[in-house]
């Protein structure tokens, strides 16, 4: 079974790249996006057929890059619940509040989606060793899926990354190096290893396929609402990959005619201690600047510079969304509110979306009639320090 991928496209310079060989960035330095023959997809499969398939993210296989199903490395990722915490929604003045609970994935975060797709494509392309820097959770997820696929995974993380994520790398047999610094410093170390050993560079957005896995978040939100868009999706952005994925999901579903009407307003939240995308959005800029001295309890949001910043900013503006920074205190409060009022085990990153929704509701930027989906990207169980 061939995939429906036509090519990899550069969203900056427009150059096309061959999807049949391993690819990293475009020669202009931009991440690459996977393009599909959506007409052929629409002729081959219906949304009803998709809905009848087993409950994991591979039900959307025509919109994923893996051609041979035997290459798909799956541990049951995706098809997480879209919860409706009505008491909590009423309390914050958004009765239509929903929470996409992606903490229920393998390894306890939505990073499983990206790792499942990325490792599957590494296997399809004959890659045997991959390397990536991580703030914590991506390293754990890639280690996990690498173990399932028999692919060696090299991870570099900040020494002060969450303890569980570091321990998981050991569980899954990855080679973990700890660095004194941030994910950007870990990235420099990984680049040296790649130059020396020829590992495949699986850094966020330097490999084109993890975004496709994260795209399934958006596909699921639409399907779970009965094939339609909510008014807004609030997403906690580090590199912003998941947000770019959700943006593309709704665009592809519209092109297929599987959903009608406006796509959701895409809302980015970051922590006040590391908010380069929020700052760039507020200043009307097309790209972000490196954030000095990044600090927050939400480790996944401690990304001082995102390679796909221009795509995140484009997604926000194109959908009439916004970007908002929240304090670590507000994140702590939202974290316990989700637990106490809704029985939801949220990662601090996921809790940041509730803090953002509360702030935006108070400012009138979200209305009482809006249907708002918060993306809880991980489980509280990954953060015993915070618990
Ligand atoms: C990685 C991570 C994020 C940020 O994801 P991006 O796609 O890089 O923006 C948010 N929450 C959690 C729990 C994460 O692990
Ligand atoms: Zn380019």
């Amino acid at each position: 079974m061939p995939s429906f991928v036509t090519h990899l496209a550069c969203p900056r310079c427009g150059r096309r790249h061959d999807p049949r060989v391993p690819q990293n960035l475009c020669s202009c330095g931009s991440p690459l996006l996977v393009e599909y023959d959506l007409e052929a997809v629409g002729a081959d499969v219906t949304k009803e057929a998709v809905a009848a398939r087993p409950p994991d993210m591979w039900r959307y296989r025509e919109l994923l890059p893996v051609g041979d199903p035997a290459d798909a490395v799956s541990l049951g990722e995706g098809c997480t619940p879209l919860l409706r915490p009505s008491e909590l929604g009423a309390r914050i003045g958004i009765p239509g509040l929903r929470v996409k609970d992606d903490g229920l994935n393998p390894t306890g975060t939505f990073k499983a989606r990206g790792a499942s797709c990325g490792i599957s494509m590494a296997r399809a392309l004959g890659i045997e060793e991959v390397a990536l820097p991580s703030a914590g959770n991506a390293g754990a997820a890639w280690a996990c899926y690498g173990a399932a696929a028999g692919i060696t995974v090299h991870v570099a993380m900040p020494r002060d990354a969450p303890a569980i994520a570091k321990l998981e790398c050991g569980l899954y047999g990855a080679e973990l190096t700890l660095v004194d610094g941030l994910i950007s410093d870990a990235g420099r170390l990984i680049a040296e290893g790649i130059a020396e050993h020829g590992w495949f560079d699986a850094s966020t957005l330097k490999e084109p396929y993890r975004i496709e896995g994260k795209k399934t978040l958006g596909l699921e939100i639409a399907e779970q609402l009965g094939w339609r868009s909510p008014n807004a999706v609030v997403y906690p952005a580090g590199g912003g990959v998941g947000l770019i994925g959700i943006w593309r999901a709704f665009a592809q579903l519209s092109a297929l005619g599987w959903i009608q009407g406006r796509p959701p307003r895409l809302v980015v939240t970051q922590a006040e201690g590391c908010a380069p995308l929020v700052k760039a959005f507020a200043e009307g800029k097309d790209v972000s600047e490196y954030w000095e001295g990044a600090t927050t309890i939400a480790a996944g949001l401690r990304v001082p510079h995102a390679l796909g910043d221009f795509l995140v900013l484009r997604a926000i503006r194109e959908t009439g969304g916004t970007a908002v920074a929240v304090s670590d205190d507000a994140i702590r409060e939202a974290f316990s509110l989700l637990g106490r009022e809704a029985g939801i085990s949220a990662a601090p990153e996921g809790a940041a979306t509730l803090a953002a929704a509360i702030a935006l509701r108070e400012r009138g930027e979200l209305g009482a009639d809006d249907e708002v989906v918060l993306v809880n990207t991980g489980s509280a169980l990954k953060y015993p320090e915070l618990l």
Side-chain angles (χ1 to χ4, degrees):
M1 190 187 90
S3 81
F4 290 93
V5 175
T6 53
H7 61 284
L8 301 172
C10 174
R12 188 178 285 149
C13 77
R15 207 171 273 129
R16 296 164 72 104
H17 299 262
D18 186 352
R20 291 164 302 181
V21 293
Q23 297 281 2
N24 289 118
L25 296 177
C26 181
S27 45
C28 77
S30 167
L32 298 178
L33 298 176
V34 184
E35 298 294 342
Y36 297 82
D37 181 348
L38 292 175
E39 232 167 87
V41 171
D44 195 73
V45 69
T46 62
K47 58 186 179 186
E48 290 76 19
V50 165
R53 288 176 181 166
D56 66 54
M57 74 174 207
W58 295 95
R59 70 208 266 110
Y60 306 107
R61 57 179 172 261
E62 287 85 357
L63 293 173
L64 291 171
V66 178
D68 183 350
D71 286 323
V73 183
S74 177
L75 296 165
E77 55 292 322
C79 288
T80 56
L82 184 64
L83 304 173
R84 181 148 202 184
S86 41
E87 299 280 311
L88 178 61
R91 177 173 170 151
I92 69 164
I94 307 176
L97 189 75
R98 309 261 188 165
V99 176
K100 179 65 172 161
D101 195 359
D102 247 31
L104 293 166
N105 274 302
T107 72
T109 73
F110 82 129
K111 292 293 197 300
R113 296 178 189 269
S116 175
C117 192
I119 285 284
S120 297
M121 283 306 289
R123 176 146 92 179
L125 294 166
I127 292 165
E128 289 170 356
E129 290 192 53
V130 304
L132 68 156
S134 168
N137 293 329
W142 281 72
C144 173
Y145 282 85
I151 289 174
T152 304
V153 179
H154 304 270
V155 181
M157 271 185 209
R159 195 172 298 283
D160 61 356
I164 297 285
K166 289 185 278 195
L167 293 168
E168 285 177 287
C169 288
L171 173 66
Y172 300 124
E175 187 205 38
L176 173 64
T177 309
L178 299 175
V179 303
D180 294 308
L182 297 171
I183 186 171
S184 39
D185 303 296
R188 273 188 283 280
L189 192 87
I190 287 292
E192 286 169 24
I194 285 166
E196 193 175 330
H197 304 288
W199 304 327
F200 180 69
D201 189 346
S203 308
T204 301
L205 286 173
K206 286 190 186 165
E207 99 41 73
Y209 299 112
R210 82 160 82 183
I211 183 173
E212 294 303 296
K214 291 188 177 182
K215 183 178 80 183
T216 60
L217 248 180
L219 300 174
E220 284 176 24
I221 291 170
E223 184 185 344
Q224 288 171 317
L225 290 173
W227 299 108
R228 59 180 183 81
S229 300
N231 296 105
V233 175
V234 188
Y235 180 82
V241 185
L243 185 97
I244 302 168
I246 293 168
W247 180 42
R248 291 182 61 74
F250 280 95
Q252 290 174 1
L253 291 175
S254 285
L256 281 167
W258 290 9
I259 59 170
Q260 264 77 46
R262 285 171 54 86
R265 295 170 63 200
L266 296 178
V267 178
V268 155
T269 186
Q270 296 194 294
E272 281 175 359
C274 182
L277 296 167
V278 176
K279 179 166 184 281
F281 176 76
E283 292 172 351
K285 303 242 172 75
D286 294 332
V287 292
S288 63
E289 286 161 33
Y290 186 91
W291 188 278
E292 295 293 343
T295 169
T296 167
I297 55 167
L301 307 187
R302 207 169 49 147
V303 179
H305 185 252
L307 200 56
D309 54 0
F310 67 106
L311 294 171
V312 175
L313 293 162
R314 218 184 266 175
I316 299 171
R317 293 196 176 108
E318 193 186 286
T319 60
T322 187
V324 57
V326 294
S327 70
D328 276 5
D329 280 346
I331 291 175
R332 276 196 195 89
E333 216 164 288
F335 176 81
S336 74
L337 203 56
L338 280 158
R340 258 191 352 250
E341 300 291 324
I344 293 174
S345 165
E349 297 85 351
T353 64
L354 176 61
I358 292 170
L360 291 171
R361 180 70 190 95
E362 278 168 5
R363 286 190 227 157
E365 291 189 59
L366 288 175
D369 295 332
D370 281 337
E371 185 173 44
V372 178
V373 175
L374 309 181
V375 181
N376 176 33
T377 43
S379 162
L381 298 180
K382 301 229 34 182
Y383 298 81
E385 310 84 344
L386 190 59
L387 282 167

